[in-house]
Amino acid sequence: MSSLFIFGLLIALMLTGMPISIALGMTVLTFIYTMTNVPTESVALKLFTGIDNFEIMAIPFFILAGNFLTHGGVARRMINFATSMVGHWHGGLGLAGVMACALFAAVSGSSPATVIAIGSIMMPAMVKQGFPKRFGAGVITTSGALGILIPPSIVMVIYCVATGGSVALDPAGLRVSSASVGQMFMAGVIPGIMLATLLGLTTFYRAWKNDYPRLPRASWTERFVAFQKCMWGLLLILIVLGGIYAGLFTPTEAAAVSAVYAFVIAVFVYKDMGLRDVPKVLLGSANMSAMILYIITNAVLFSFLMANENIPQHIAAWITSVGVDWIIFLLIVNVLLLIAGNVMEASSIVLIMAPILFPVAVKLGIHPVHLGILMVVNMEVGMCHPPVGLNLYVASGIAKMGITELTIAVWPWLLTMLIFLGVVTYVPEISLWLPRALGML
């Protein structure tokens, strides 16, 4: 009855159009006031302690780093490098768009930021060269979703925050703790490269089939010059991932380092930004961070309520009692997350669903890191289809296309993402091999 009341009230509030963050808080307060003896002081305490988490500090820093890079001309240099490498193949600019999105994703951690940074340059260039507008929009909208799979990823940090401190029992009765940010970052490397490759193959096939334009082959000298110009941006990948793996700093400290580094190269190295532009970037980053942190605060309160009522444990016991194995469970998880992607944005889905799914998954022998990557890939798909796909709305504004037309345009690449989702769901080693090889699991 508690579960029905909580989820029924939450869904009812969201159907009224209420922001998800407020709906979460209202659900918790209503349930506590009417159906429990939990003191209201604990709610205020939980609201404060909910974001008193060292890992959460990584989110505003990664947002700030991404905004400096977006405004600092790094994306343009990455596009030039990608074009020099693959521009002479079928669909050259389209392939360059996929490659540039993958490179920028590795320094920004945000899908919308990747779509804006790469799409605002690539889409007009592709149309000018003779590509159909739908083709360019489809490539950039879906490839931009790599921003949350290729580390560093803000959504991965949110997953770790949502399950942080959680401990569940595996099939052998052993205690299993939640995934760390470092583990999630390393686990995202191989899936990210695989998905970028698959999106590139889809782009190549459609360009070859329709005989879309190709660019002249760049000389190795031109490629080296293009690499030199974007090298400062690419070094950020080594600083973040290399620093975490080498133990030089924690993921949160890596986020702070990346923000300072992005500021330095944007203002003093590339000089595409002046000091007068910095306050605008800081304000925009603060606004975005405040929005995400407000959602996190209310989601942590919701998780507190779920844990207080032992709802995840009851769900885990019920699933194991009816004989659902890990294969069927992961299929149910995918369907549930894809449906949720129709009505909620990625951060909210992860914050609500991760604390519920985590104990059940561990009980069935599913590794927390595998579950995290699975959720991230689902969030990628959700960002590329209506009605609330954030990448669709960002790309729509850049390409000057309606949402319906853009939805049709992304289908070939979206189908590729769904196939990849199936593969990464049932081949856990895609996510787990690298962190295990590095001794992180």
Side-chain angles (χ1 to χ4, degrees), residues 95-118:
L95 288 174
V98 175
M99 183 176 175
C101 283
L103 292 173
F104 194 80
V107 297
S108 71
S110 168
S111 283
T114 303
V115 174
I116 293 170
I118 305 300

Side-chain angles (χ1 to χ4, degrees), residues 64-423:
L64 180 59
N67 283 344
F68 275 128
L69 295 174
T70 302
H71 293 83
V74 175
R76 186 177 67 254
R77 291 172 174 83
M78 287 183 173
I79 288 171
N80 291 338
F81 172 61
T83 302
S84 71
M85 296 300 294
V86 298
H88 58 283
W89 294 352
H90 287 284
L93 276 184
L95 288 174
V98 175
M99 183 176 175
C101 283
L103 292 173
F104 194 80
V107 297
S108 71
S110 168
S111 283
T114 303
V115 174
I116 293 170
I118 305 300
S120 59
I121 300 171
M122 289 299 296
M123 286 191 200
M126 291 174 73
V127 172
K128 184 177 180 181
Q129 201 190 5
F131 287 89
K133 185 184 289 188
R134 285 189 177 187
F135 180 83
V139 170
I140 300 301
T141 302
T142 49
S143 299
L146 293 167
I148 63 171
L149 180 58
I150 297 178
S153 163
I154 294 171
V155 174
M156 288 182 185
V157 176
I158 291 174
Y159 171 78
C160 295
V161 169
T163 58
S166 300
V167 176
L169 299 179
D170 67 6
L174 301 175
R175 291 163 63 88
V176 176
S177 59
S178 57
S180 70
V181 175
Q183 290 172 337
M184 287 296 298
F185 279 5
M186 292 303 169
V189 172
I190 292 178
I193 293 173
M194 284 183 63
L195 182 54
T197 302
L198 290 173
L199 292 173
L201 288 173
T202 304
T203 303
F204 178 86
Y205 172 75
R206 290 184 60 80
W208 169 77
K209 182 180 177 181
N210 296 287
D211 195 26
Y212 289 153
R214 302 163 66 177
L215 295 174
R217 182 189 295 268
S219 67
W220 283 105
T221 301
E222 291 171 327
R223 292 173 180 177
F224 180 71
V225 170
F227 172 76
Q228 276 188 316
K229 290 181 178 178
C230 77
M231 181 179 62
W232 290 103
L234 296 177
L235 275 177
L236 186 57
I237 306 171
L238 295 178
I239 291 173
V240 173
L241 297 183
I244 292 172
Y245 173 63
L248 298 178
F249 34 68
T250 66
T252 302
E253 292 165 347
V257 170
S258 70
V260 174
Y261 181 82
F263 163 74
V264 171
I265 64 171
V267 176
F268 299 109
V269 178
Y270 289 145
K271 299 181 181 179
D272 292 314
M273 282 182 59
L275 288 175
R276 69 178 66 183
D277 301 316
V278 173
K280 181 181 177 181
V281 174
L282 291 174
L283 183 60
S285 302
N287 286 336
M288 190 181 301
S289 301
M291 178 184 68
I292 293 176
L293 292 176
Y294 184 65
I295 296 173
I296 290 175
T297 303
N298 285 282
V300 168
L301 192 61
F302 185 78
S303 299
F304 161 72
L305 175 62
M306 301 288 288
N308 190 64
E309 297 298 314
N310 289 320
I311 290 174
Q313 288 74 19
H314 290 319
I315 294 174
W318 176 77
I319 286 179
T320 52
S321 68
V322 298
V324 173
D325 62 6
W326 71 277
I327 295 175
I328 301 299
F329 172 73
L330 289 181
L331 177 62
I332 294 171
V333 168
N334 280 332
V335 172
L336 187 63
L337 293 175
L338 290 174
I339 292 173
N342 286 302
V343 294
M344 290 188 287
E345 53 87 30
S347 301
S348 302
I349 297 173
V350 172
L351 286 165
I352 294 171
M353 300 302 299
I356 301 171
L357 297 174
F358 172 75
V360 186
V362 172
K363 186 74 174 177
L364 295 173
I366 300 166
H367 199 284
V369 171
H370 179 210
L371 176 66
I373 295 299
L374 174 68
M375 294 191 72
V376 171
V377 176
N378 270 285
M379 298 306 99
E380 284 190 295
V381 176
M383 285 183 159
C384 300
H385 68 73
V388 295
L390 188 55
N391 283 12
L392 281 181
Y393 288 95
V394 174
S396 174
I398 296 172
K400 304 294 188 296
M401 293 171 64
I403 294 298
T404 303
E405 185 182 5
L406 190 54
T407 302
I408 297 171
V410 302
W411 261 110
W413 293 271
L414 191 60
L415 181 60
T416 301
M417 295 173 75
L418 288 170
I419 294 171
F420 174 74
L421 173 60
V423 173

